Coordinates of all heavy atoms in Angstrom, one line a residue:
M31 N 11.3 22.7 0.6 CA 11.0 21.5 1.3 C 11.2 20.4 0.5 O 10.7 20.3 -0.6 CB 9.6 21.7 1.9 CG 9.2 20.4 2.7 SD 7.7 20.5 3.6 CE 8.3 21.1 5.1
Y32 N 11.9 19.3 1.0 CA 12.1 18.1 0.2 C 11.4 16.9 1.1 O 11.6 16.8 2.2 CB 13.6 17.8 0.3 CG 13.9 16.3 -0.2 CD1 13.7 15.9 -1.5 CD2 14.6 15.6 0.6 CE1 14.0 14.7 -2.0 CE2 15.0 14.3 0.2 CZ 14.7 13.8 -1.1 OH 15.0 12.6 -1.5
I33 N 10.4 16.3 0.3 CA 9.6 15.3 0.9 C 10.0 14.0 0.2 O 9.9 13.8 -1.1 CB 8.2 15.5 0.7 CG1 7.8 16.8 1.5 CG2 7.3 14.3 1.3 CD1 6.4 17.2 1.4
L34 N 10.5 13.0 1.0 CA 10.8 11.6 0.5 C 9.5 10.6 0.6 O 9.2 10.6 1.8 CB 12.0 11.1 1.2 CG 12.5 9.8 0.9 CD1 13.0 9.7 -0.6 CD2 13.7 9.3 1.8
G35 N 9.1 10.0 -0.4 CA 8.2 9.0 -0.3 C 8.9 7.7 -0.4 O 9.6 7.4 -1.4
I36 N 8.6 6.8 0.5 CA 9.1 5.4 0.5 C 8.1 4.3 0.4 O 7.1 4.3 1.2 CB 10.0 5.1 1.8 CG1 11.1 6.1 1.9 CG2 10.5 3.7 1.8 CD1 12.0 5.9 3.1
N37 N 8.1 3.6 -0.8 CA 7.0 2.7 -1.0 C 7.7 1.2 -0.6 O 8.6 0.7 -1.1 CB 6.6 2.5 -2.4 CG 5.6 1.5 -2.7 OD1 5.2 0.8 -1.8 ND2 5.1 1.5 -3.8
G38 N 7.1 0.5 0.4 CA 7.6 -0.7 1.0 C 6.9 -1.9 0.3 O 7.2 -3.2 0.7
S39 N 6.0 -1.6 -0.5 CA 5.2 -2.7 -1.2 C 6.0 -3.3 -2.4 O 6.6 -2.6 -3.2 CB 3.9 -2.2 -1.7 OG 3.2 -3.3 -2.4
P40 N 6.0 -4.6 -2.6 CA 6.6 -5.2 -3.8 C 5.7 -5.0 -5.0 O 6.1 -5.4 -6.1 CB 6.8 -6.7 -3.4 CG 5.6 -6.9 -2.5 CD 5.5 -5.7 -1.7
R41 N 4.6 -4.5 -4.9 CA 3.6 -4.4 -6.0 C 3.6 -3.0 -6.6 O 2.9 -2.1 -6.1 CB 2.2 -4.8 -5.6 CG 2.1 -6.3 -5.2 CD 0.6 -6.6 -4.9 NE -0.2 -6.3 -5.9 CZ -1.5 -6.0 -5.7 NH1 -2.0 -5.9 -4.5 NH2 -2.2 -5.7 -6.7
T42 N 4.4 -2.7 -7.6 CA 4.3 -1.4 -8.2 C 2.8 -1.3 -9.0 O 2.4 -2.2 -9.6 CB 5.4 -1.2 -9.3 OG1 5.4 -2.2 -10.2 CG2 6.8 -1.1 -8.5
G43 N 2.2 -0.1 -8.8 CA 1.0 0.1 -9.4 C -0.2 -0.3 -8.5 O -1.3 -0.2 -8.8
G44 N 0.1 -0.9 -7.3 CA -0.8 -1.3 -6.4 C -1.3 -0.2 -5.5 O -1.0 1.1 -5.7
N45 N -2.1 -0.5 -4.4 CA -2.6 0.5 -3.6 C -1.6 1.5 -2.9 O -1.8 2.7 -3.0 CB -3.6 0.0 -2.6 CG -4.8 -0.6 -3.1 OD1 -5.3 -0.2 -4.3 ND2 -5.4 -1.6 -2.5
C46 N -0.7 0.9 -2.4 CA 0.4 1.8 -1.8 C 1.0 2.7 -2.7 O 1.2 3.8 -2.4 CB 1.5 0.8 -1.2 SG 0.9 0.1 0.4
D47 N 1.4 2.1 -3.9 CA 2.1 3.0 -4.9 C 1.1 4.2 -5.4 O 1.5 5.2 -5.5 CB 2.4 2.1 -6.1 CG 3.5 2.6 -6.9 OD1 4.4 3.4 -6.4 OD2 3.6 2.4 -8.1
L48 N -0.2 3.8 -5.7 CA -1.1 4.9 -6.0 C -1.4 5.9 -5.1 O -1.3 7.1 -5.3 CB -2.4 4.2 -6.4 CG -2.4 3.3 -7.6 CD1 -3.7 2.5 -7.8 CD2 -2.0 4.0 -8.9
L49 N -1.6 5.5 -3.7 CA -1.7 6.4 -2.7 C -0.5 7.3 -2.4 O -0.5 8.5 -2.1 CB -2.1 5.7 -1.4 CG -3.5 5.2 -1.4 CD1 -3.7 4.2 -0.2 CD2 -4.6 6.2 -1.5
L50 N 0.8 6.7 -2.5 CA 2.0 7.4 -2.3 C 2.0 8.5 -3.4 O 2.5 9.6 -3.2 CB 3.2 6.6 -2.3 CG 4.5 7.1 -2.0 CD1 4.5 8.0 -0.8 CD2 5.6 6.2 -2.0
D51 N 1.9 8.1 -4.7 CA 1.8 9.0 -5.8 C 1.0 10.2 -5.6 O 1.3 11.3 -5.9 CB 1.5 8.3 -7.1 CG 2.6 7.4 -7.6 OD1 3.8 7.6 -7.2 OD2 2.3 6.6 -8.6
A52 N -0.3 10.0 -5.1 CA -1.2 11.1 -4.9 C -0.7 12.0 -3.7 O -0.8 13.2 -3.9 CB -2.6 10.5 -4.5
A53 N -0.1 11.4 -2.7 CA 0.4 12.3 -1.6 C 1.5 13.0 -2.1 O 1.7 14.3 -1.7 CB 0.8 11.4 -0.4
L54 N 2.4 12.4 -2.8 CA 3.5 13.3 -3.4 C 3.1 14.3 -4.5 O 3.7 15.4 -4.4 CB 4.6 12.3 -4.0 CG 5.3 11.4 -3.0 CD1 6.2 10.4 -3.8 CD2 6.2 12.2 -1.9
A55 N 2.1 14.1 -5.2 CA 1.6 15.0 -6.2 C 1.0 16.2 -5.4 O 1.2 17.3 -5.8 CB 0.5 14.3 -7.0
A56 N 0.3 16.0 -4.3 CA -0.2 17.1 -3.6 C 0.8 17.9 -2.9 O 0.9 19.2 -2.9 CB -1.2 16.5 -2.5
A57 N 1.9 17.3 -2.5 CA 3.0 17.9 -1.9 C 3.7 18.8 -3.0 O 4.1 20.0 -2.7 CB 4.0 17.0 -1.2
A58 N 3.9 18.3 -4.2 CA 4.6 18.9 -5.3 C 3.8 20.2 -5.6 O 4.3 21.3 -5.9 CB 4.8 18.0 -6.4
L59 N 2.4 20.0 -5.7 CA 1.4 21.2 -5.9 C 1.6 22.3 -4.9 O 1.5 23.5 -5.3 CB 0.1 20.7 -6.0 CG -0.4 20.1 -7.4 CD1 -1.8 19.5 -7.2 CD2 -0.2 21.0 -8.5
A60 N 1.9 21.9 -3.7 CA 2.1 22.9 -2.7 C 3.6 23.5 -2.7 O 3.9 24.3 -1.8 CB 1.9 22.2 -1.3
G61 N 4.4 23.1 -3.6 CA 5.7 23.6 -3.8 C 6.8 22.9 -3.2 O 8.0 23.3 -3.4
A62 N 6.6 21.6 -2.8 CA 7.7 20.8 -2.3 C 8.5 20.1 -3.5 O 7.9 19.7 -4.4 CB 7.1 19.8 -1.3
D63 N 9.7 19.8 -3.2 CA 10.5 18.9 -4.1 C 10.2 17.5 -3.5 O 10.3 17.3 -2.3 CB 12.0 19.2 -4.0 CG 12.4 20.5 -4.6 OD1 11.8 20.8 -5.6 OD2 13.3 21.2 -4.1
T64 N 9.9 16.6 -4.4 CA 9.5 15.2 -3.9 C 10.4 14.2 -4.7 O 10.8 14.4 -5.8 CB 8.0 14.9 -4.2 OG1 7.7 15.0 -5.6 CG2 7.2 15.9 -3.5
E65 N 10.4 13.1 -4.0 CA 11.2 11.8 -4.6 C 10.5 10.6 -4.0 O 10.0 10.7 -2.9 CB 12.6 11.9 -4.3 CG 13.4 10.8 -4.9 CD 14.9 10.8 -4.7 OE1 15.4 11.7 -3.8 OE2 15.6 10.0 -5.3
K66 N 10.4 9.6 -4.8 CA 9.8 8.4 -4.5 C 10.9 7.3 -4.5 O 11.5 7.1 -5.6 CB 8.6 8.0 -5.3 CG 7.9 6.6 -4.8 CD 6.6 6.4 -5.5 CE 6.7 6.1 -6.9 NZ 5.4 5.5 -7.5
L67 N 11.0 6.5 -3.5 CA 11.9 5.2 -3.6 C 11.0 4.0 -3.6 O 10.1 3.9 -2.7 CB 12.9 5.2 -2.3 CG 13.8 6.3 -2.3 CD1 14.7 6.2 -1.0 CD2 14.7 6.4 -3.5
L68 N 11.3 3.1 -4.4 CA 10.6 1.8 -4.4 C 11.6 0.8 -3.9 O 12.6 0.4 -4.4 CB 10.2 1.4 -5.9 CG 9.2 2.4 -6.6 CD1 9.2 2.0 -8.0 CD2 7.9 2.4 -5.9
L69 N 11.4 0.4 -2.6 CA 12.2 -0.5 -2.0 C 12.5 -1.8 -2.7 O 13.5 -2.5 -2.6 CB 11.8 -0.8 -0.4 CG 11.9 0.5 0.4 CD1 11.4 0.0 1.9 CD2 13.2 1.1 0.4
C70 N 11.3 -2.3 -3.4 CA 11.5 -3.6 -4.1 C 12.5 -3.5 -5.2 O 12.9 -4.6 -5.7 CB 10.1 -4.0 -4.6 SG 9.4 -2.9 -5.9
R71 N 12.8 -2.4 -5.7 CA 13.8 -2.2 -6.8 C 15.3 -1.9 -6.3 O 16.2 -1.7 -7.1 CB 13.4 -1.1 -7.8 CG 12.1 -1.5 -8.4 CD 11.9 -0.6 -9.7 NE 10.6 -1.0 -10.3 CZ 9.9 -0.2 -11.0 NH1 10.3 1.1 -11.2 NH2 8.7 -0.5 -11.5
L72 N 15.5 -1.8 -5.0 CA 16.8 -1.5 -4.4 C 17.5 -2.8 -3.9 O 16.8 -3.8 -3.6 CB 16.6 -0.5 -3.3 CG 16.0 0.8 -3.6 CD1 15.9 1.6 -2.4 CD2 16.8 1.5 -4.7
C73 N 18.8 -2.8 -4.0 CA 19.5 -3.8 -3.5 C 19.9 -3.5 -2.0 O 20.9 -2.7 -1.8 CB 20.7 -4.2 -4.3 SG 21.7 -5.5 -3.7
I74 N 19.1 -4.1 -1.0 CA 19.5 -3.9 0.3 C 19.8 -5.2 1.1 O 18.9 -6.1 1.1 CB 18.3 -3.2 1.0 CG1 18.1 -1.8 0.3 CG2 18.6 -3.0 2.5 CD1 16.8 -1.1 0.8
A75 N 21.0 -5.3 1.6 CA 21.4 -6.5 2.3 C 21.1 -6.4 3.9 O 21.2 -5.3 4.4 CB 22.9 -6.7 2.0
P76 N 20.9 -7.5 4.5 CA 20.8 -7.4 6.0 C 22.1 -7.1 6.6 O 23.2 -7.2 6.1 CB 20.4 -8.8 6.3 CG 21.0 -9.8 5.3 CD 20.9 -8.9 4.0
C77 N 22.0 -6.5 7.9 CA 23.1 -6.2 8.7 C 23.9 -7.5 9.0 O 23.3 -8.5 9.3 CB 22.5 -5.5 10.0 SG 23.9 -5.1 11.1
R78 N 25.1 -7.3 9.1 CA 26.0 -8.5 9.5 C 26.4 -8.4 10.9 O 27.2 -9.3 11.4 CB 27.3 -8.5 8.6 CG 27.0 -8.7 7.1 CD 28.2 -8.7 6.3 NE 27.9 -8.8 4.9 CZ 28.8 -8.5 3.9 NH1 29.9 -8.2 4.2 NH2 28.3 -8.5 2.6
A79 N 26.1 -7.4 11.6 CA 26.4 -7.3 13.0 C 27.9 -7.4 13.2 O 28.3 -7.9 14.2 CB 25.7 -8.1 13.9
C80 N 28.7 -6.7 12.5 CA 30.1 -6.9 12.4 C 30.8 -5.8 13.4 O 31.9 -6.0 13.8 CB 30.7 -6.6 10.9 SG 30.5 -4.8 10.5
D81 N 30.0 -5.0 13.9 CA 30.5 -3.9 14.9 C 31.7 -3.1 14.4 O 32.4 -2.5 15.1 CB 30.9 -4.6 16.2 CG 29.8 -5.2 17.0 OD1 28.7 -4.5 16.8 OD2 30.0 -6.1 17.6
K82 N 31.8 -3.1 13.1 CA 33.0 -2.3 12.5 C 32.7 -0.7 12.3 O 33.5 0.0 12.5 CB 33.5 -2.9 11.2 CG 34.1 -4.3 11.5 CD 34.8 -4.8 10.3 CE 35.5 -6.1 10.6 NZ 36.3 -6.7 9.5
P83 N 31.4 -0.4 11.8 CA 31.2 1.0 11.5 C 31.0 1.7 12.9 O 30.4 1.2 13.8 CB 30.0 1.1 10.6 CG 29.3 -0.3 10.9 CD 30.4 -1.3 11.3
S84 N 31.5 2.9 12.9 CA 31.2 3.8 14.1 C 30.1 4.7 13.6 O 29.6 4.7 12.6 CB 32.5 4.5 14.5 OG 32.9 5.4 13.5
L85 N 29.8 5.6 14.4 CA 28.8 6.6 14.2 C 29.1 7.5 13.0 O 28.3 8.1 12.3 CB 28.4 7.5 15.4 CG 27.8 6.9 16.5 CD1 27.6 7.7 17.7 CD2 26.5 6.3 16.1
D86 N 30.5 7.7 12.8 CA 30.9 8.6 11.7 C 31.5 7.8 10.5 O 32.1 8.3 9.5 CB 31.8 9.6 12.2 CG 33.2 9.0 12.8 OD1 33.1 7.8 13.0 OD2 34.1 9.7 13.0
G87 N 31.5 6.5 10.5 CA 32.0 5.7 9.5 C 31.0 5.0 8.7 O 29.9 4.9 9.1
P88 N 31.4 4.6 7.5 CA 30.5 3.9 6.5 C 30.2 2.5 7.0 O 31.1 1.8 7.6 CB 31.1 4.0 5.2 CG 32.5 4.1 5.5 CD 32.7 4.8 6.9
C89 N 29.1 2.0 6.5 CA 28.7 0.6 6.7 C 29.7 -0.4 5.9 O 30.0 0.1 4.7 CB 27.3 0.3 6.4 SG 26.8 -1.4 6.6
V90 N 30.1 -1.5 6.3 CA 31.0 -2.3 5.4 C 30.0 -3.1 4.4 O 30.6 -3.5 3.5 CB 31.6 -3.5 6.3 CG1 32.6 -2.7 7.4 CG2 30.6 -4.4 7.1
V91 N 28.8 -3.1 4.4 CA 27.9 -3.7 3.5 C 27.7 -2.6 2.3 O 27.1 -1.5 2.6 CB 26.6 -4.2 4.0 CG1 25.7 -4.6 2.9 CG2 26.8 -5.1 5.0
A92 N 28.1 -2.7 1.1 CA 28.0 -1.8 0.0 C 26.8 -2.2 -0.7 O 26.7 -3.0 -1.6 CB 29.2 -1.9 -0.9
D93 N 25.7 -1.5 -0.3 CA 24.4 -1.6 -1.0 C 23.7 -0.4 -1.1 O 24.2 0.7 -0.9 CB 23.5 -2.7 -0.2 CG 23.1 -2.3 1.2 OD1 23.5 -1.2 1.5 OD2 22.6 -3.1 1.9
D94 N 22.4 -0.4 -1.5 CA 21.7 0.9 -1.8 C 21.2 1.5 -0.5 O 20.6 2.6 -0.5 CB 20.4 0.5 -2.6 CG 20.8 0.1 -4.1 OD1 21.8 0.6 -4.6 OD2 20.0 -0.6 -4.7
M95 N 21.5 0.9 0.6 CA 21.0 1.6 1.9 C 21.7 2.8 2.2 O 21.2 3.8 2.8 CB 21.3 0.5 3.0 CG 20.4 0.8 4.3 SD 18.6 0.7 3.7 CE 17.9 1.8 5.1
A96 N 23.0 3.0 1.7 CA 23.7 4.2 1.9 C 23.0 5.3 1.1 O 22.8 6.4 1.7 CB 25.1 4.0 1.3
M97 N 22.4 5.1 0.0 CA 21.6 6.1 -0.7 C 20.3 6.5 0.1 O 19.9 7.6 0.2 CB 21.3 5.6 -2.1 CG 20.4 6.6 -2.9 SD 18.6 6.3 -2.8 CE 18.5 4.7 -3.4
V98 N 19.6 5.3 0.7 CA 18.5 5.7 1.4 C 18.8 6.6 2.6 O 18.0 7.5 2.9 CB 17.8 4.3 1.8 CG1 16.6 4.6 2.7 CG2 17.4 3.5 0.6
Y99 N 19.9 6.2 3.3 CA 20.2 7.0 4.5 C 20.6 8.5 4.1 O 20.2 9.4 4.8 CB 21.5 6.5 5.1 CG 21.3 5.2 5.9 CD1 22.2 4.1 5.9 CD2 20.1 5.0 6.7 CE1 22.0 3.0 6.5 CE2 19.9 3.8 7.4 CZ 21.0 2.8 7.4 OH 20.7 1.6 8.0
E100 N 21.1 8.7 2.9 CA 21.5 10.0 2.4 C 20.2 10.7 2.2 O 20.0 11.9 2.6 CB 22.3 10.0 1.2 CG 22.9 11.3 0.8 CD 21.9 12.0 -0.3 OE1 21.2 11.3 -1.0 OE2 21.7 13.3 -0.1
R101 N 19.2 10.1 1.5 CA 18.0 10.8 1.3 C 17.2 11.1 2.6 O 16.6 12.1 2.7 CB 17.1 10.0 0.3 CG 17.7 9.6 -1.1 CD 17.9 10.8 -1.9 NE 18.0 10.5 -3.3 CZ 18.9 9.8 -3.9 NH1 19.9 9.3 -3.3 NH2 18.9 9.7 -5.3
L102 N 17.2 10.1 3.5 CA 16.5 10.3 4.7 C 17.1 11.6 5.5 O 16.4 12.3 6.2 CB 16.5 9.1 5.6 CG 15.6 7.9 5.2 CD1 16.0 6.6 5.9 CD2 14.2 8.3 5.4
G103 N 18.5 11.6 5.4 CA 19.1 12.7 6.1 C 18.7 14.1 5.6 O 18.8 15.1 6.3
R104 N 18.5 14.2 4.3 CA 18.1 15.4 3.6 C 16.7 15.7 3.8 O 16.2 17.0 3.6 CB 18.3 15.4 2.1 CG 19.9 15.6 1.8 CD 20.1 15.9 0.2 NE 19.7 14.8 -0.6 CZ 18.8 14.9 -1.6 NH1 18.2 16.1 -2.0 NH2 18.4 13.8 -2.4
A105 N 15.8 14.7 4.0 CA 14.3 15.0 3.9 C 13.8 15.8 5.1 O 14.3 15.7 6.2 CB 13.7 13.6 4.0
D106 N 12.9 16.8 4.7 CA 12.2 17.6 5.7 C 11.0 16.7 6.3 O 10.6 17.0 7.3 CB 11.8 18.8 5.1 CG 12.9 19.7 4.7 OD1 13.7 20.1 5.5 OD2 13.0 20.0 3.5
A107 N 10.5 15.8 5.4 CA 9.4 15.0 5.8 C 9.5 13.7 5.0 O 10.1 13.6 4.0 CB 8.1 15.6 5.5
V108 N 9.0 12.6 5.6 CA 9.0 11.3 5.0 C 7.6 10.8 5.0 O 6.9 10.8 5.9 CB 9.9 10.3 5.7 CG1 9.9 8.9 5.2 CG2 11.4 10.8 5.8
I109 N 7.1 10.2 3.9 CA 5.9 9.6 3.7 C 6.2 8.1 3.4 O 6.9 7.7 2.5 CB 5.0 10.1 2.6 CG1 4.8 11.6 2.8 CG2 3.7 9.4 2.5 CD1 4.0 12.3 1.6
L110 N 5.7 7.2 4.4 CA 5.9 5.8 4.3 C 4.7 5.0 3.8 O 3.7 5.2 4.5 CB 6.5 5.2 5.6 CG 6.8 3.7 5.5 CD1 7.9 3.4 4.6 CD2 7.1 3.2 7.0
A111 N 4.7 4.3 2.7 CA 3.6 3.6 2.2 C 4.0 2.1 2.4 O 4.9 1.6 1.9 CB 3.3 3.9 0.8
S112 N 3.2 1.4 3.3 CA 3.5 -0.1 3.6 C 2.2 -0.8 3.5 O 1.2 -0.4 4.0 CB 4.1 -0.1 5.0 OG 4.5 -1.4 5.3
P113 N 2.3 -2.0 2.8 CA 1.2 -2.8 2.7 C 0.7 -3.4 4.1 O 1.6 -3.7 5.0 CB 1.5 -3.9 1.8 CG 3.0 -4.1 2.0 CD 3.4 -2.6 2.2
I114 N -0.5 -3.7 4.3 CA -1.0 -4.5 5.4 C -1.8 -5.6 4.9 O -2.8 -5.5 4.2 CB -2.0 -3.6 6.2 CG1 -1.2 -2.3 6.8 CG2 -2.6 -4.4 7.4 CD1 -2.2 -1.3 7.4
Y115 N -1.2 -6.8 5.2 CA -1.7 -8.0 4.7 C -2.6 -8.6 5.8 O -2.2 -8.7 7.0 CB -0.6 -9.0 4.3 CG 0.2 -8.4 3.2 CD1 1.5 -8.1 3.5 CD2 -0.2 -8.4 1.9 CE1 2.4 -7.7 2.5 CE2 0.6 -7.9 0.9 CZ 1.9 -7.6 1.2 OH 2.6 -7.0 0.1
F116 N -3.9 -9.0 5.5 CA -4.7 -9.6 6.5 C -5.7 -10.5 5.6 O -5.8 -10.5 4.4 CB -5.5 -8.5 7.1 CG -6.4 -7.7 6.3 CD1 -7.8 -8.0 6.0 CD2 -5.9 -6.5 5.7 CE1 -8.5 -7.2 5.2 CE2 -6.6 -5.8 4.9 CZ -8.0 -6.0 4.6
G117 N -6.4 -11.4 6.4 CA -7.4 -12.2 5.8 C -6.7 -13.6 5.6 O -7.0 -14.4 4.8

């Protein structure tokens, strides 16, 4: 089993990062292969709404999102850590 953890917080070492690490460590202890992606360290550009890619063609924007899609396609489970800002 391959479990992908995605951290959407810009703060490495913060609560999201620590909780995601704990969840992935527990999954690894149970025998899963795990990987963590830190979105703040990836180069991801917005969609250009060019209508050029089809369902079987690549996106015209060459960024790290292609790697994220590949990992998501392989994952048996995904853990998403996202900050909630309030106050």
Side-chain angles (χ1 to χ4, degrees):
M31 177 171 272
Y32 169 63
I33 299 179
L34 178 65
I36 300 175
N37 184 355
S39 174
R41 296 180 56 210
T42 56
N45 290 336
C46 288
D47 204 30
L48 295 175
L49 290 169
L50 183 57
D51 284 345
L54 292 175
L59 280 175
D63 292 324
T64 64
E65 181 177 8
K66 180 170 79 170
L67 297 180
L68 300 172
L69 295 184
C70 66
R71 293 191 180 160
L72 301 179
C73 178
I74 299 174
C77 178
R78 295 182 188 164
C80 66
D81 292 328
K82 291 189 180 184
S84 64
L85 292 176
D86 59 350
C89 180
V90 298
V91 178
D93 62 4
D94 289 332
M95 204 56 209
M97 178 269 298
V98 175
Y99 288 141
E100 186 274 324
R101 301 295 201 293
L102 285 169
R104 276 195 300 129
D106 297 300
V108 176
I109 302 172
L110 178 62
S112 179
I114 299 174
Y115 299 108
F116 60 91

